[in-house]
Amino acid sequence: MLSNKIEKAINKQINHEFTNAYTYLAMSAWFDNQNLSGFAHWMRLQREDELSHAAKLVEFVVDRGGRVELESIGKPKGSYNSPKEAIAAALKLEQTTTALVNNLFGLAAEEKDYATQSRLQWFVDEQVEEEKSVSEILAKLEMAGDSKGTLLMLDHQLAKRGKS
Ligand code: FEO
């Protein structure tokens, strides 16, 4: 059985994961508008990842006999000044997600909720990957500077991302 405190906190995290999905969807549309279909593809898969994160938490709450309470999702930012600005925003989003997952893990530890800690360990590990992959793209964009050729090469590379 989940405590009210943990149930509320996981429901908040579910909302955050859906917010991430919505943000990545908006980013993918923006990249498509810029004719950067590789970046758009990468963002669409990222959106799918976020939906699966939310689904894992929903399943966990239900499995523990808790109540899932879905909240509304805010309007995501729809445009950026550059690919670099969009990717920097994605990195910030992932860093915020990491902080929230860590806080949630800390709360589960405080409450001696071992099952929640065990489930959240997957999210802790996943965030290492999430931050790493976005940081790599940002670093490449920084290296590319104003080179359109390098941007297109990176776009081509991101188009090859497969489902995780
Ligand atoms: Fe669900 Fe990208 O973290």
Side-chain angles (χ1 to χ4, degrees):
M1 189 69 189
L2 284 174
S3 72
N4 283 345
K5 214 169 169 182
I6 297 284
E7 183 187 86
K8 205 169 159 198
I10 299 179
N11 272 310
K12 221 169 144 193
Q13 188 65 28
I14 290 169
N15 182 267
H16 182 74
E17 300 294 346
F18 278 122
T19 301
N20 286 358
Y22 214 29
T23 302
Y24 282 124
L25 177 62
M27 284 180 177
S28 76
W30 182 80
F31 274 113
D32 263 331
N33 284 151
Q34 311 306 305
N35 297 310
L36 291 167
S37 58
F39 278 89
H41 166 76
W42 192 94
M43 289 291 172
R44 272 193 296 277
L45 290 185
Q46 197 64 12
R47 169 190 163 269
E48 283 182 25
D49 277 358
E50 300 299 346
L51 291 177
S52 89
H53 298 167
K56 281 183 203 302
L57 291 172
V58 166
E59 197 183 323
F60 180 72
V61 172
V62 172
D63 284 352
R64 299 280 311 279
R67 217 174 64 139
V68 171
E69 225 172 310
L70 298 178
E71 300 288 345
S72 51
I73 304 169
K75 184 180 174 181
K77 185 173 157 75
S79 72
Y80 297 90
N81 291 319
S82 65
K84 200 172 110 180
E85 190 187 274
I87 297 295
L91 180 58
K92 204 156 175 229
L93 194 67
E94 291 304 340
Q95 287 166 339
T96 302
T97 306
T98 301
L100 292 173
V101 165
N102 290 345
N103 286 345
L104 193 49
F105 193 96
L107 184 65
E110 253 174 52
E111 298 267 305
K112 294 190 168 39
D113 182 339
Y114 301 109
T116 298
Q117 285 175 71
S118 173
R119 191 66 191 96
L120 287 176
Q121 187 60 55
W122 183 89
F123 285 85
V124 171
D125 298 340
E126 172 76 354
Q127 279 314 118
V128 174
E129 276 310 304
E130 293 277 88
E131 281 197 39
K132 179 177 175 259
S133 59
V134 186
S135 295
E136 275 175 10
I137 300 171
L138 185 58
K140 285 176 184 169
L141 280 173
E142 275 163 359
M143 276 186 255
D146 293 330
S147 164
K148 296 272 182 255
T150 313
L151 177 65
L152 289 177
M153 265 171 58
L154 183 55
D155 188 58
H156 192 66
Q157 188 190 322
L158 295 179
K160 293 182 186 150
R161 176 180 176 182
K163 289 190 182 219
S164 51

